[in-house]
Amino acid sequence: MTKQDDQLLDELKELKVMGSIDQVKKEEMRLNITNYAKKKRVQQRRRRKMVWASTAAAVLLFGVIVMTMVNQQNITVDEPESTTPAEDQDEGNETQENEQVEEPLEDSENETETPGEEEEDFDVEVAGTEESTIVIEGMEEATTVTTFHIKSHNISYQVDELLGEYEINENQVIHSTDHIVGDIVPPEITVEVIDNTDLDTFVSELDYDGEPTPLDMEENSYEGVELEQGDPPNGYYAYQINDDVLYIQFKYDIEANDGMGPRLQALKESIQEIE
Amino acid sequence: MDEELITEWFDRYADDIYRFLAYYTSSPDVEDLVQEVFIKAIDRFDSFKGNSSPKTWLFTIARNLAIDEARKRKRQDWRKLINTYQSENEQSPEELYQLTESKSQLYEAIHKLKPTYRDVIILRGIEELSIAEAADVLKWSENKVRVTFYRALKALKLKVGRVSYD
Protein backbone atom coordinates (compact mmCIF):
# COMPACT_ATOMS: atom_id res chain seq x y z
CA MET A 1 0.00 0.00 0.00
CA THR A 2 1.25 3.47 -0.90
CA LYS A 3 0.85 6.61 1.15
CA GLN A 4 -1.93 7.69 -1.19
CA ASP A 5 -3.73 4.41 -0.53
CA ASP A 6 -3.53 4.94 3.23
CA GLN A 7 -4.84 8.48 2.83
CA LEU A 8 -7.76 7.23 0.77
CA LEU A 9 -8.52 4.53 3.34
CA ASP A 10 -8.52 7.12 6.12
CA GLU A 11 -11.03 9.18 4.19
CA LEU A 12 -13.23 6.13 3.71
CA LYS A 13 -13.10 5.40 7.45
CA GLU A 14 -14.16 8.96 8.17
CA LEU A 15 -17.36 8.24 6.29
CA LYS A 16 -18.16 5.54 8.82
CA VAL A 17 -18.23 7.79 11.88
CA MET A 18 -20.55 10.23 10.18
CA GLY A 19 -23.74 8.26 10.17
CA SER A 20 -26.02 6.83 12.86
CA ILE A 21 -29.75 6.43 13.43
CA ASP A 22 -31.64 9.15 15.28
CA GLN A 23 -32.15 8.01 18.91
CA VAL A 24 -35.91 8.59 18.95
CA LYS A 25 -36.30 6.73 15.70
CA LYS A 26 -34.02 3.99 17.01
CA GLU A 27 -36.17 3.50 20.11
CA GLU A 28 -39.28 3.25 17.97
CA MET A 29 -37.60 0.67 15.72
CA ARG A 30 -36.44 -1.37 18.72
CA LEU A 31 -40.00 -1.45 20.06
CA ASN A 32 -41.40 -2.52 16.66
CA ILE A 33 -38.82 -5.29 16.33
CA THR A 34 -39.40 -6.55 19.87
CA ASN A 35 -43.17 -6.61 19.32
CA TYR A 36 -42.71 -8.48 16.06
CA ALA A 37 -40.47 -11.06 17.74
CA LYS A 38 -43.07 -11.53 20.48
CA LYS A 39 -45.89 -11.92 17.94
CA LYS A 40 -43.83 -14.36 15.91
CA ARG A 41 -43.12 -16.48 18.99
CA VAL A 42 -46.86 -16.66 19.82
CA GLN A 43 -47.64 -17.63 16.21
CA GLN A 44 -45.00 -20.36 16.24
CA ARG A 45 -46.34 -21.73 19.51
CA ARG A 46 -49.88 -21.73 18.10
CA ARG A 47 -48.68 -23.45 14.91
CA ARG A 48 -46.91 -26.13 16.93
CA LYS A 49 -50.12 -26.71 18.91
CA MET A 50 -52.11 -27.01 15.69
CA VAL A 51 -49.65 -29.52 14.26
CA TRP A 52 -49.86 -31.50 17.48
CA ALA A 53 -53.69 -31.41 17.42
CA SER A 54 -53.81 -32.43 13.75
CA THR A 55 -51.50 -35.35 14.42
CA ALA A 56 -53.59 -36.44 17.39
CA ALA A 57 -56.78 -36.19 15.29
CA ALA A 58 -55.20 -38.22 12.49
CA VAL A 59 -54.13 -40.93 14.96
CA LEU A 60 -57.62 -40.98 16.49
CA LEU A 61 -59.25 -41.20 13.06
CA PHE A 62 -56.91 -44.01 12.09
CA GLY A 63 -57.85 -45.85 15.28
CA VAL A 64 -61.57 -45.46 14.56
CA ILE A 65 -61.09 -46.74 10.99
CA VAL A 66 -59.11 -49.75 12.20
CA MET A 67 -61.76 -50.55 14.82
CA THR A 68 -64.51 -50.30 12.21
CA MET A 69 -62.59 -52.60 9.87
CA VAL A 70 -62.00 -55.10 12.68
CA ASN A 71 -65.71 -55.08 13.55
CA GLN A 72 -66.68 -55.64 9.91
CA GLN A 73 -64.18 -58.48 9.66
CA ASN A 74 -65.75 -60.12 12.72
CA ILE A 75 -69.12 -60.21 10.94
CA THR A 76 -67.55 -61.66 7.79
CA VAL A 77 -65.75 -64.34 9.78
CA ASP A 78 -69.03 -65.24 11.49
CA GLU A 79 -70.69 -66.01 8.11
CA PRO A 80 -73.02 -68.97 8.87
CA GLU A 81 -72.63 -70.86 5.57
CA SER A 82 -68.95 -71.52 6.11
CA THR A 83 -69.17 -72.77 9.66
CA THR A 84 -69.87 -76.07 11.32
CA PRO A 85 -72.16 -76.46 14.34
CA ALA A 86 -69.09 -76.99 16.53
CA GLU A 87 -67.60 -73.74 15.29
CA ASP A 88 -70.93 -72.05 15.88
CA GLN A 89 -70.62 -72.97 19.52
CA ASP A 90 -67.13 -71.47 19.64
CA GLU A 91 -68.31 -68.37 17.86
CA GLY A 92 -71.11 -68.00 20.34
CA ASN A 93 -68.55 -68.00 23.10
CA GLU A 94 -66.38 -65.54 21.25
CA THR A 95 -69.34 -63.28 20.70
CA GLN A 96 -70.06 -63.27 24.38
CA GLU A 97 -66.44 -62.45 25.07
CA ASN A 98 -66.51 -59.65 22.53
CA GLU A 99 -69.59 -58.22 24.11
CA GLN A 100 -67.98 -58.29 27.49
CA VAL A 101 -64.91 -56.51 26.18
CA GLU A 102 -66.85 -53.88 24.29
CA GLU A 103 -69.34 -53.07 27.01
CA PRO A 104 -67.11 -50.69 29.00
CA LEU A 105 -66.22 -48.87 25.77
CA GLU A 106 -69.87 -48.30 24.95
CA ASP A 107 -70.51 -47.08 28.49
CA SER A 108 -67.67 -44.61 28.32
CA GLU A 109 -68.95 -43.28 24.99
CA ASN A 110 -72.42 -42.81 26.43
CA GLU A 111 -71.09 -40.79 29.35
CA THR A 112 -70.46 -37.81 27.09
CA GLU A 113 -73.96 -37.80 25.62
CA THR A 114 -77.27 -36.59 26.99
CA PRO A 115 -79.35 -39.52 28.29
CA GLY A 116 -82.22 -40.39 25.94
CA GLU A 117 -80.72 -38.52 23.00
CA GLU A 118 -77.74 -40.68 22.14
CA GLU A 119 -77.50 -42.24 18.69
CA GLU A 120 -75.95 -45.68 18.58
CA ASP A 121 -73.51 -46.75 15.88
CA PHE A 122 -75.24 -49.50 13.96
CA ASP A 123 -73.49 -52.74 14.90
CA VAL A 124 -74.77 -56.11 13.69
CA GLU A 125 -73.40 -59.61 14.00
CA VAL A 126 -74.49 -63.12 13.15
CA ALA A 127 -75.21 -64.99 16.39
CA GLY A 128 -75.73 -68.43 14.85
CA THR A 129 -78.04 -70.69 12.87
CA GLU A 130 -80.66 -73.23 13.88
CA GLU A 131 -83.06 -75.72 12.32
CA SER A 132 -86.71 -74.70 12.20
CA THR A 133 -90.00 -75.56 10.52
CA ILE A 134 -92.51 -73.41 8.69
CA VAL A 135 -95.99 -74.26 7.41
CA ILE A 136 -96.44 -73.56 3.70
CA GLU A 137 -99.96 -74.23 2.37
CA GLY A 138 -100.72 -76.58 5.25
CA MET A 139 -97.49 -78.59 4.85
CA GLU A 140 -94.65 -78.45 7.38
CA GLU A 141 -91.29 -77.74 5.82
CA ALA A 142 -87.86 -77.96 7.45
CA THR A 143 -85.67 -74.91 7.04
CA THR A 144 -82.67 -73.19 8.59
CA VAL A 145 -82.85 -69.74 10.13
CA THR A 146 -79.98 -67.43 10.99
CA THR A 147 -80.09 -65.30 14.11
CA PHE A 148 -78.84 -61.70 13.77
CA HIS A 149 -78.00 -59.50 16.74
CA ILE A 150 -78.25 -55.75 16.35
CA LYS A 151 -75.75 -55.29 19.15
CA SER A 152 -75.97 -51.54 19.15
CA HIS A 153 -79.68 -51.71 20.03
CA ASN A 154 -79.93 -55.10 21.81
CA ILE A 155 -82.42 -56.48 19.31
CA SER A 156 -82.31 -59.94 17.70
CA TYR A 157 -84.26 -61.46 14.82
CA GLN A 158 -84.14 -64.52 12.59
CA VAL A 159 -84.10 -64.74 8.80
CA ASP A 160 -84.95 -67.79 6.71
CA GLU A 161 -82.27 -69.45 4.58
CA LEU A 162 -84.16 -68.37 1.49
CA LEU A 163 -82.65 -64.94 2.14
CA GLY A 164 -79.19 -66.36 2.76
CA GLU A 165 -77.24 -63.34 1.50
CA TYR A 166 -76.87 -60.18 3.50
CA GLU A 167 -74.93 -56.98 3.49
CA ILE A 168 -74.65 -54.08 5.91
CA ASN A 169 -75.13 -50.73 4.30
CA GLU A 170 -74.50 -47.96 6.85
CA ASN A 171 -77.41 -48.40 9.26
CA GLN A 172 -79.27 -51.10 7.33
CA VAL A 173 -79.02 -54.87 6.98
CA ILE A 174 -80.18 -55.94 3.55
CA HIS A 175 -81.15 -59.63 3.28
CA SER A 176 -81.54 -61.09 -0.21
CA THR A 177 -80.74 -64.14 -2.29
CA ASP A 178 -78.40 -64.89 -5.13
CA HIS A 179 -80.63 -67.70 -6.42
CA ILE A 180 -82.51 -65.67 -8.99
CA VAL A 181 -84.42 -67.50 -11.69
CA GLY A 182 -85.49 -65.70 -14.88
CA ASP A 183 -86.79 -62.16 -14.56
CA ILE A 184 -88.57 -62.52 -11.24
CA VAL A 185 -88.31 -59.83 -8.56
CA PRO A 186 -85.80 -61.25 -6.08
CA PRO A 187 -87.00 -61.26 -2.47
CA GLU A 188 -85.39 -58.64 -0.27
CA ILE A 189 -85.79 -57.58 3.35
CA THR A 190 -84.20 -54.46 4.77
CA VAL A 191 -83.86 -54.11 8.53
CA GLU A 192 -82.91 -50.90 10.26
CA VAL A 193 -83.35 -49.10 13.59
CA ILE A 194 -84.31 -45.44 13.81
CA ASP A 195 -83.06 -43.93 17.04
CA ASN A 196 -85.18 -41.90 19.44
CA THR A 197 -88.29 -41.91 17.29
CA ASP A 198 -91.98 -42.20 18.00
CA LEU A 199 -93.71 -44.91 15.91
CA ASP A 200 -96.66 -42.75 14.77
CA THR A 201 -94.42 -39.85 13.80
CA PHE A 202 -92.08 -42.14 11.93
CA VAL A 203 -94.86 -43.93 10.01
CA SER A 204 -96.54 -40.66 9.05
CA GLU A 205 -93.37 -39.62 7.27
CA LEU A 206 -93.02 -42.77 5.17
CA ASP A 207 -93.52 -42.59 1.43
CA TYR A 208 -96.16 -45.32 1.08
CA ASP A 209 -99.71 -45.12 -0.22
CA GLY A 210 -102.39 -46.53 2.05
CA GLU A 211 -102.97 -46.70 5.75
CA PRO A 212 -100.84 -48.98 7.94
CA THR A 213 -102.71 -51.44 10.19
CA PRO A 214 -101.79 -52.35 13.78
CA LEU A 215 -100.03 -55.67 14.22
CA ASP A 216 -101.69 -58.42 16.22
CA MET A 217 -100.17 -58.33 19.71
CA GLU A 218 -100.71 -62.10 20.11
CA GLU A 219 -98.38 -62.82 17.22
CA ASN A 220 -95.94 -59.96 17.83
CA SER A 221 -93.90 -59.18 20.90
CA TYR A 222 -94.00 -55.41 20.41
CA GLU A 223 -96.49 -52.78 19.46
CA GLY A 224 -96.26 -52.12 15.75
CA VAL A 225 -97.92 -51.52 12.41
CA GLU A 226 -97.74 -53.11 8.99
CA LEU A 227 -98.51 -52.16 5.45
CA GLU A 228 -98.53 -54.44 2.42
CA GLN A 229 -99.34 -53.24 -1.04
CA GLY A 230 -98.81 -53.65 -4.76
CA ASP A 231 -97.85 -56.32 -7.17
CA PRO A 232 -95.21 -57.56 -6.66
CA PRO A 233 -95.97 -57.33 -2.95
CA ASN A 234 -93.99 -54.81 -0.95
CA GLY A 235 -94.42 -53.01 2.34
CA TYR A 236 -93.09 -52.76 5.84
CA TYR A 237 -93.38 -53.65 9.49
CA ALA A 238 -92.55 -51.05 12.09
CA TYR A 239 -92.21 -51.68 15.82
CA GLN A 240 -91.78 -49.39 18.76
CA ILE A 241 -89.02 -50.96 20.85
CA ASN A 242 -88.30 -48.73 23.81
CA ASP A 243 -87.29 -45.31 22.40
CA ASP A 244 -86.44 -46.61 18.93
CA VAL A 245 -88.33 -47.89 15.91
CA LEU A 246 -87.39 -51.19 14.27
CA TYR A 247 -88.24 -50.75 10.60
CA ILE A 248 -88.41 -53.80 8.29
CA GLN A 249 -89.13 -53.32 4.59
CA PHE A 250 -89.83 -56.22 2.27
CA LYS A 251 -90.55 -57.00 -1.35
CA TYR A 252 -90.88 -60.29 -3.21
CA ASP A 253 -92.39 -61.98 -6.26
CA ILE A 254 -95.53 -63.83 -5.21
CA GLU A 255 -95.30 -66.26 -8.13
CA ALA A 256 -91.77 -67.38 -7.36
CA ASN A 257 -91.85 -67.03 -3.57
CA ASP A 258 -95.18 -68.39 -2.37
CA GLY A 259 -93.60 -69.32 0.95
CA MET A 260 -92.57 -65.74 1.65
CA GLY A 261 -95.63 -64.97 3.79
CA PRO A 262 -94.86 -67.70 6.40
CA ARG A 263 -91.17 -66.74 6.33
CA LEU A 264 -92.00 -63.08 7.05
CA GLN A 265 -94.35 -64.24 9.80
CA ALA A 266 -91.51 -66.26 11.34
CA LEU A 267 -89.28 -63.21 11.15
CA LYS A 268 -91.84 -61.05 12.98
CA GLU A 269 -92.28 -63.66 15.70
CA SER A 270 -88.54 -63.97 16.20
CA ILE A 271 -88.01 -60.31 17.08
CA GLN A 272 -86.93 -59.89 20.68
CA GLU A 273 -84.67 -57.87 22.88
CA ILE A 274 -81.33 -59.36 23.90
CA GLU A 275 -80.87 -59.65 27.65
CA MET B 1 -36.15 -16.23 18.26
CA ASP B 2 -36.57 -14.56 21.62
CA GLU B 3 -36.99 -10.84 22.06
CA GLU B 4 -33.84 -10.41 24.20
CA LEU B 5 -31.52 -11.75 21.53
CA ILE B 6 -32.89 -9.64 18.66
CA THR B 7 -32.83 -6.55 20.89
CA GLU B 8 -29.20 -7.26 21.73
CA TRP B 9 -28.33 -7.62 18.05
CA PHE B 10 -30.23 -4.44 17.23
CA ASP B 11 -28.39 -2.41 19.87
CA ARG B 12 -25.05 -3.74 18.69
CA TYR B 13 -25.39 -3.62 14.92
CA ALA B 14 -28.25 -1.27 13.97
CA ASP B 15 -25.94 1.69 13.23
CA ASP B 16 -23.58 -0.47 11.14
CA ILE B 17 -26.50 -1.78 9.13
CA TYR B 18 -27.90 1.71 8.79
CA ARG B 19 -24.64 3.09 7.37
CA PHE B 20 -24.16 0.14 5.07
CA LEU B 21 -27.66 0.57 3.66
CA ALA B 22 -27.29 4.33 3.39
CA TYR B 23 -24.09 4.01 1.36
CA TYR B 24 -25.36 1.12 -0.65
CA THR B 25 -28.62 2.80 -1.64
CA SER B 26 -27.15 6.33 -1.64
CA SER B 27 -29.96 7.52 0.58
CA PRO B 28 -30.20 8.47 4.26
CA ASP B 29 -33.85 7.36 4.36
CA VAL B 30 -33.15 3.76 5.17
CA GLU B 31 -34.61 3.39 8.68
CA ASP B 32 -37.43 1.28 7.30
CA LEU B 33 -34.91 -0.95 5.55
CA VAL B 34 -32.92 -1.35 8.77
CA GLN B 35 -36.09 -2.44 10.54
CA GLU B 36 -36.82 -4.79 7.65
CA VAL B 37 -33.40 -6.40 8.07
CA PHE B 38 -34.15 -7.28 11.69
CA ILE B 39 -37.69 -8.44 10.86
CA LYS B 40 -36.21 -10.78 8.24
CA ALA B 41 -33.65 -11.97 10.75
CA ILE B 42 -36.52 -12.95 13.10
CA ASP B 43 -38.34 -14.71 10.26
CA ARG B 44 -35.27 -16.59 9.08
CA PHE B 45 -33.68 -17.27 12.44
CA ASP B 46 -34.23 -21.03 12.04
CA SER B 47 -31.87 -20.97 9.04
CA PHE B 48 -29.11 -19.24 11.06
CA LYS B 49 -26.77 -22.07 12.02
CA GLY B 50 -24.23 -19.94 13.84
CA ASN B 51 -21.47 -20.79 11.34
CA SER B 52 -21.00 -17.08 10.66
CA SER B 53 -21.22 -14.20 13.10
CA PRO B 54 -24.58 -12.45 13.58
CA LYS B 55 -22.96 -9.31 12.20
CA THR B 56 -22.03 -10.81 8.82
CA TRP B 57 -25.37 -12.64 8.66
CA LEU B 58 -27.21 -9.33 9.18
CA PHE B 59 -25.01 -7.65 6.57
CA THR B 60 -25.87 -10.42 4.10
CA ILE B 61 -29.59 -9.85 4.69
CA ALA B 62 -29.04 -6.10 4.40
CA ARG B 63 -27.12 -6.44 1.14
CA ASN B 64 -29.85 -8.59 -0.43
CA LEU B 65 -32.47 -6.11 0.71
CA ALA B 66 -30.42 -3.21 -0.62
CA ILE B 67 -30.08 -4.89 -4.02
CA ASP B 68 -33.86 -5.31 -4.16
CA GLU B 69 -34.37 -1.76 -3.01
CA ALA B 70 -31.90 -0.40 -5.59
CA ARG B 71 -33.85 -2.15 -8.32
CA LYS B 72 -36.99 -0.42 -7.11
CA ARG B 73 -35.55 3.05 -6.64
CA LYS B 74 -32.86 3.30 -9.31
CA ARG B 75 -31.83 6.67 -8.04
CA GLN B 76 -28.58 8.14 -6.81
CA ASP B 77 -29.38 10.48 -3.98
CA TRP B 78 -25.88 10.71 -2.57
CA ARG B 79 -25.90 14.52 -2.22
CA LYS B 80 -28.82 14.28 0.19
CA LEU B 81 -26.93 11.60 2.09
CA ILE B 82 -23.82 13.75 2.50
CA ASN B 83 -25.80 16.81 3.59
CA THR B 84 -27.60 14.76 6.22
CA TYR B 85 -24.34 13.49 7.68
CA GLN B 86 -22.54 16.81 7.52
CA SER B 87 -25.29 18.59 9.42
CA GLU B 88 -24.52 16.38 12.41
CA ASN B 89 -21.02 17.89 12.75
CA GLU B 90 -20.35 21.31 14.21
CA GLN B 91 -17.96 22.91 11.73
CA SER B 92 -17.43 26.33 10.19
CA PRO B 93 -19.19 26.96 6.90
CA GLU B 94 -15.83 27.00 5.12
CA GLU B 95 -14.73 23.71 6.67
CA LEU B 96 -18.12 22.27 6.03
CA TYR B 97 -17.97 23.37 2.43
CA GLN B 98 -14.50 21.90 1.95
CA LEU B 99 -15.49 18.67 3.64
CA THR B 100 -18.73 18.47 1.74
CA GLU B 101 -16.98 18.99 -1.55
CA SER B 102 -14.33 16.41 -0.68
CA LYS B 103 -16.83 13.80 0.53
CA SER B 104 -19.22 14.47 -2.30
CA GLN B 105 -16.45 13.74 -4.73
CA LEU B 106 -15.64 10.52 -2.89
CA TYR B 107 -19.27 9.38 -2.67
CA GLU B 108 -19.79 10.13 -6.32
CA ALA B 109 -16.67 8.19 -7.21
CA ILE B 110 -17.77 5.20 -5.08
CA HIS B 111 -21.13 5.08 -6.79
CA LYS B 112 -19.55 5.22 -10.20
CA LEU B 113 -17.58 2.06 -9.45
CA LYS B 114 -18.83 -1.24 -10.78
CA PRO B 115 -20.99 -3.13 -8.24
CA THR B 116 -18.34 -5.61 -7.05
CA TYR B 117 -15.84 -2.80 -6.39
CA ARG B 118 -18.50 -0.73 -4.64
CA ASP B 119 -19.48 -3.70 -2.44
CA VAL B 120 -16.00 -4.34 -1.24
CA ILE B 121 -15.19 -0.63 -0.75
CA ILE B 122 -18.26 -0.17 1.48
CA LEU B 123 -17.66 -3.34 3.49
CA ARG B 124 -13.88 -3.22 3.82
CA GLY B 125 -13.13 0.47 3.43
CA ILE B 126 -16.07 2.16 5.18
CA GLU B 127 -17.52 -0.50 7.50
CA GLU B 128 -14.05 -1.93 8.22
CA LEU B 129 -15.12 -5.55 8.08
CA SER B 130 -12.26 -8.02 8.18
CA ILE B 131 -11.35 -9.92 5.02
CA ALA B 132 -13.04 -13.03 6.44
CA GLU B 133 -16.22 -11.12 7.36
CA ALA B 134 -16.41 -9.42 3.95
CA ALA B 135 -15.86 -12.79 2.27
CA ASP B 136 -18.72 -14.22 4.34
CA VAL B 137 -21.14 -11.41 3.40
CA LEU B 138 -20.21 -11.42 -0.28
CA LYS B 139 -19.91 -15.21 -0.51
CA TRP B 140 -16.48 -14.83 -2.00
CA SER B 141 -13.17 -16.44 -1.15
CA GLU B 142 -10.89 -14.37 1.08
CA ASN B 143 -8.37 -14.12 -1.76
CA LYS B 144 -11.01 -12.69 -4.07
CA VAL B 145 -11.85 -10.10 -1.40
CA ARG B 146 -8.15 -9.11 -1.15
CA VAL B 147 -7.63 -8.84 -4.90
CA THR B 148 -10.93 -7.10 -5.60
CA PHE B 149 -10.41 -4.61 -2.78
CA TYR B 150 -6.94 -3.76 -4.12
CA ARG B 151 -8.34 -3.21 -7.63
CA ALA B 152 -11.33 -1.27 -6.26
CA LEU B 153 -9.05 1.14 -4.39
CA LYS B 154 -7.04 1.67 -7.57
CA ALA B 155 -10.20 2.32 -9.56
CA LEU B 156 -11.48 4.71 -6.89
CA LYS B 157 -8.30 6.74 -7.03
CA LEU B 158 -8.74 7.15 -10.76
CA LYS B 159 -12.37 8.14 -10.34
CA VAL B 160 -11.60 10.70 -7.66
CA GLY B 161 -8.96 12.05 -10.02
CA ARG B 162 -6.90 13.83 -7.42
CA VAL B 163 -3.25 14.39 -8.25
CA SER B 164 -2.19 13.29 -4.78
CA TYR B 165 -3.77 9.85 -5.34
CA ASP B 166 -2.20 9.28 -8.71
Side-chain angles (χ1 to χ4, degrees), chain A residues 189-248:
Chain A
I189 294 172
T190 304
V191 178
E192 62 184 291
V193 180
I194 293 86
D195 292 297
N196 306 309
T197 307
D198 173 64
L199 180 65
D200 293 336
T201 310
F202 171 71
V203 168
S204 68
E205 290 170 0
L206 293 176
D207 189 20
Y208 278 91
D209 294 327
E211 203 61 31
T213 54
L215 286 163
D216 189 346
M217 284 299 286
E218 286 182 9
E219 294 177 353
N220 296 272
S221 305
Y222 301 94
E223 181 193 349
V225 293
E226 68 175 337
L227 187 146
E228 185 170 334
Q229 62 178 20
D231 184 21
N234 67 91
Y236 65 84
Y237 308 116
Y239 297 92
Q240 184 79 57
I241 301 180
N242 301 321
D243 294 325
D244 308 324
V245 167
L246 176 65
Y247 181 42
I248 302 169

Side-chain angles (χ1 to χ4, degrees), chain A residues 58-73:
Chain A
V59 169
L60 190 67
L61 186 65
F62 178 74
V64 170
I65 290 168
V66 168
M67 272 187 65
T68 309
M69 285 171 69
V70 167
N71 284 340
Q72 283 178 346
Q73 260 185 343

Side-chain angles (χ1 to χ4, degrees), chain A residues 46-191:
Chain A
R46 196 176 300 152
R47 201 173 298 136
R48 273 197 293 270
K49 276 184 186 173
M50 279 179 69
V51 168
W52 186 90
S54 305
T55 309
V59 169
L60 190 67
L61 186 65
F62 178 74
V64 170
I65 290 168
V66 168
M67 272 187 65
T68 309
M69 285 171 69
V70 167
N71 284 340
Q72 283 178 346
Q73 260 185 343
N74 279 347
I75 290 171
T76 311
V77 168
D78 291 337
E79 190 78 49
E81 290 175 0
S82 61
T83 56
T84 63
E87 284 170 344
D88 287 342
Q89 184 65 38
D90 291 340
E91 282 168 9
N93 292 340
E94 281 172 16
T95 305
Q96 282 179 347
E97 284 169 11
N98 286 343
E99 283 174 358
Q100 284 168 358
V101 170
E102 286 173 8
E103 264 178 10
L105 182 62
E106 286 171 7
D107 287 343
S108 66
E109 283 171 354
N110 289 341
E111 278 174 14
T112 58
E113 293 172 352
T114 310
E117 290 184 1
E118 66 269 25
E119 287 195 4
E120 298 282 355
D121 289 332
F122 199 65
D123 184 8
V124 179
E125 72 171 10
V126 175
T129 58
E130 62 183 73
E131 301 299 315
S132 181
T133 55
I134 53 171
V135 179
I136 299 175
E137 295 180 340
M139 299 283 288
E140 262 194 9
E141 265 191 36
T143 188
T144 304
V145 292
T146 303
T147 303
F148 288 82
H149 282 176
I150 306 175
K151 288 173 63 184
S152 50
H153 296 80
N154 295 328
I155 296 170
S156 83
Y157 63 94
Q158 291 180 324
V159 177
D160 190 273
E161 63 182 352
L162 182 72
L163 296 136
E165 302 296 319
Y166 77 93
E167 66 171 286
I168 297 167
N169 183 13
E170 292 187 354
N171 61 340
Q172 294 180 326
V173 192
I174 302 166
H175 301 272
S176 59
T177 180
D178 56 2
H179 302 296
I180 300 165
V181 183
D183 57 355
I184 65 161
V185 176
E188 189 177 274
I189 294 172
T190 304
V191 178

Side-chain angles (χ1 to χ4, degrees), chain A residues 4-5 15-16 30 36, chain B residues 11 19 23 43 157 164-165:
Chain A
Q4 288 93 4
D5 287 342
L15 295 178
K16 181 180 179 177
R30 185 188 290 112
Y36 184 82
Chain B
D11 290 341
R19 272 192 306 274
Y23 291 128
D43 287 341
K157 279 191 288 182
S164 58
Y165 292 141

Side-chain angles (χ1 to χ4, degrees), chain B residues 22-137:
Chain B
Y23 291 128
Y24 209 101
T25 59
S26 309
S27 168
D29 304 325
V30 289
E31 286 93 347
D32 288 347
L33 275 183
V34 175
Q35 188 169 302
E36 187 71 18
V37 168
F38 287 91
I39 296 288
K40 283 201 182 300
I42 294 167
D43 287 341
R44 298 176 187 170
F45 185 67
D46 289 343
S47 67
F48 178 65
K49 305 295 178 196
N51 296 331
S52 57
S53 70
K55 183 181 177 181
T56 57
W57 187 56
L58 291 169
F59 268 108
T60 307
I61 296 173
R63 181 170 172 262
N64 292 337
L65 263 178
I67 291 169
D68 288 346
E69 190 61 20
R71 283 192 196 117
K72 286 180 205 163
R73 291 187 187 176
K74 292 213 166 188
R75 68 188 165 103
Q76 299 287 307
D77 198 11
W78 50 270
R79 285 184 191 281
K80 191 179 170 188
L81 178 70
I82 294 161
N83 291 334
T84 305
Y85 288 164
Q86 299 298 354
S87 64
E88 292 174 5
N89 300 329
E90 291 180 5
Q91 287 166 315
S92 68
E94 289 79 14
E95 284 173 333
L96 195 59
Y97 178 78
Q98 285 295 324
L99 189 62
T100 303
E101 276 303 297
S102 168
K103 301 301 177 205
S104 292
Q105 201 179 18
L106 192 53
Y107 277 119
E108 194 169 11
I110 291 170
H111 285 280
K112 280 181 180 171
L113 292 172
K114 65 177 188 176
T116 50
Y117 287 0
R118 191 186 58 202
D119 283 351
V120 80
I121 285 289
I122 294 173
L123 292 172
R124 286 278 295 134
I126 300 174
E127 286 301 324
E128 297 182 274
L129 261 62
S130 68
I131 288 174
E133 286 174 332
D136 196 13
V137 174

Side-chain angles (χ1 to χ4, degrees), chain A residues 244-255:
Chain A
D244 308 324
V245 167
L246 176 65
Y247 181 42
I248 302 169
Q249 296 173 84
F250 59 84
K251 63 175 182 181
Y252 59 93
D253 192 317
I254 198 162
E255 296 298 322

